[in-house]
Amino acid sequence: MKKYKLGFIGYGNMSKAIVGGILKSGILDKSQIAVSRLSDTAADGIFCTNDNGYVAENSEYLVLAVKPQIFKQIEFSCSADCVISIMAGVDSKSISDKLGMDGRVIRVMPNTPSQIGKGATAIANNALGDRYNDFCKRIFESVGEVCFIDEDKFDAVTCVSGSGPAYAYYFVKAMIDGGVANGLDKATSKALTLDTVIGACEMIKANPDIPVGQLISNVCSKGGTTIEAINVLEENQLDKTVIDAMTACRKRSEELRQSK
Ligand SMILES: NC(=O)c1ccc[n+]([C@@H]2O[C@H](COP(=O)([O-])OP(=O)(O)OC[C@H]3O[C@@H](n4cnc5c(N)ncnc54)[C@H](OP(=O)(O)O)[C@@H]3O)[C@@H](O)[C@H]2O)c1
């Protein structure tokens, strides 16, 4: 029996978001969690040290949440039952080999909206069985939605949900600027844009049987206003630009993974 149920190597933005979700949903209490970080600054009432080995030896589950380049540099022995890695671009096999985990590693890709409980997390399919996978799923469900996907698709996951929040911010920013360019003050344009984008995403979710293309057509009456805007987006091939951008992101993810 280990002293802590869950340990974290690295207690930065993502770890804090995950711990916040776990505590809020009551999966664990503070006494069951330990964290290590570069500084050993007290961590919101949770046991905190700068001794990575101590946390790795005394936790049943160990979450790796340092930057990939830091993981490459640090050495510690690990006797956790299961390691969960949220590090981008480091495959489960190399983590297992480095820590001597004999395959007991689950790779996970969360994203930044996890910080407000609205994350989209992919967990890599693995052969570890329900006990480990159910616990891992519960952790990430405490900060948003979870899906299971093969690890060889993780570069694609990176280009959709990992980096995706930035594309959404980019589009939202352009819409806010568009409102201002057409006569609204910035605060009004921002408020209307956010509610419109959130509402549109909720419409898509609430109508799973209606293709997104159909929802677009439904707003575009012939000779109306919306079709004028959509025509300009189509002439400028916004869809192709988005796909090209995501392909560039996926390729960079592959490059980074292969250079490790
Ligand atoms: N942010 C995202 O959107 C996102 C999405 C998916 C995956 N990820 C992955 O999540 C991981 C963490 O990202 P983050 O945004 O949370 O990073 P972060 O905020 O920069 O936190 C990094 C943490 O690592 C600690 N650290 C640095 N050197 C260390 C060492 N030698 N030993 C132990 N701890 C050390 C830092 O300690 P101090 O607190 O003392 O400085 C800090 O707590 C990364 O691997 C990233 O690829 C991030």
Side-chain angles (χ1 to χ4, degrees):
M1 179 84 173
K2 294 279 164 54
K3 189 167 182 189
Y4 299 100
K5 180 82 178 174
L6 187 61
F8 287 81
I9 305 295
Y11 193 61
N13 294 320
M14 288 308 292
S15 297
K16 285 177 189 163
I18 295 163
V19 168
I22 290 169
L23 296 176
K24 200 171 163 196
S25 58
I27 299 170
L28 300 175
D29 61 43
K30 287 183 179 181
S31 68
Q32 295 173 289
I33 301 171
V35 304
S36 68
R37 64 197 296 188
L38 196 55
S39 55
D40 60 358
T41 317
D44 319 320
I46 292 161
F47 175 79
C48 181
T49 173
N50 56 12
D51 183 348
N52 294 324
Y54 180 83
V55 172
E57 289 292 336
N58 286 287
S59 302
E60 188 178 333
Y61 290 83
L62 185 71
V63 179
L64 299 177
V66 287
K67 299 283 184 199
Q69 59 274 27
I70 299 291
F71 179 68
K72 221 172 150 185
Q73 293 160 11
I74 56 180
E75 297 290 340
F76 56 87
S77 62
C78 177
S79 64
D81 290 359
C82 177
V83 164
I84 296 168
S85 169
I86 64 166
M87 294 183 295
V90 189
D91 62 52
S92 58
K93 184 175 182 311
S94 56
I95 295 166
S96 179
D97 289 349
K98 174 162 173 156
L99 299 181
M101 288 302 295
D102 195 23
R104 285 170 290 119
V105 174
I106 303 180
R107 182 149 170 228
V108 175
M109 171 68 70
N111 67 3
T112 45
S114 300
Q115 290 169 24
I116 56 158
K118 295 280 181 187
T121 297
I123 300 177
N125 287 320
N126 58 74
L128 286 176
D130 289 346
R131 178 182 151 209
Y132 297 123
N133 280 296
D134 288 351
F135 184 73
C136 183
K137 184 165 173 267
R138 282 174 65 212
I139 289 175
F140 290 94
E141 278 178 343
S142 78
V143 289
E145 302 289 333
V146 168
C147 67
F148 280 84
I149 190 157
D150 289 346
E151 188 171 352
D152 65 5
K153 298 278 187 251
F154 262 47
D155 294 315
V157 168
T158 301
C159 90
V160 179
S161 54
S163 300
Y167 326 147
Y169 302 146
Y170 191 98
F171 187 78
V172 164
K173 181 176 179 298
M175 267 187 77
I176 295 168
D177 291 346
V180 172
N182 285 284
L184 294 181
D185 66 81
K186 192 160 185 179
T188 305
S189 182
K190 185 174 179 180
L192 286 173
T193 297
L194 293 187
D195 288 335
T196 300
V197 171
I198 291 167
C201 290
E202 294 291 344
M203 271 289 282
I204 297 170
K205 274 197 160 181
N207 294 284
D209 297 331
I210 306 180
V212 179
Q214 183 63 48
L215 288 172
I216 296 172
S217 302
N218 292 351
V219 197
C220 292
S221 11
K222 204 172 166 207
T225 55
T226 312
I227 189 70
E228 290 297 317
I230 295 295
N231 284 343
V232 174
L233 296 179
E234 299 245 297
E235 278 159 24
N236 285 280
Q237 297 190 300
L238 182 66
D239 53 353
K240 182 180 179 305
T241 303
V242 170
I243 293 166
D244 287 350
M246 292 173 71
T247 302
C249 179
R250 195 255 306 148
K251 284 183 177 164
R252 181 63 182 149
S253 176
E254 283 171 7
E255 276 169 18
L256 289 173
R257 179 166 49 76
Q258 282 154 8
S259 72
K260 288 196 174 85

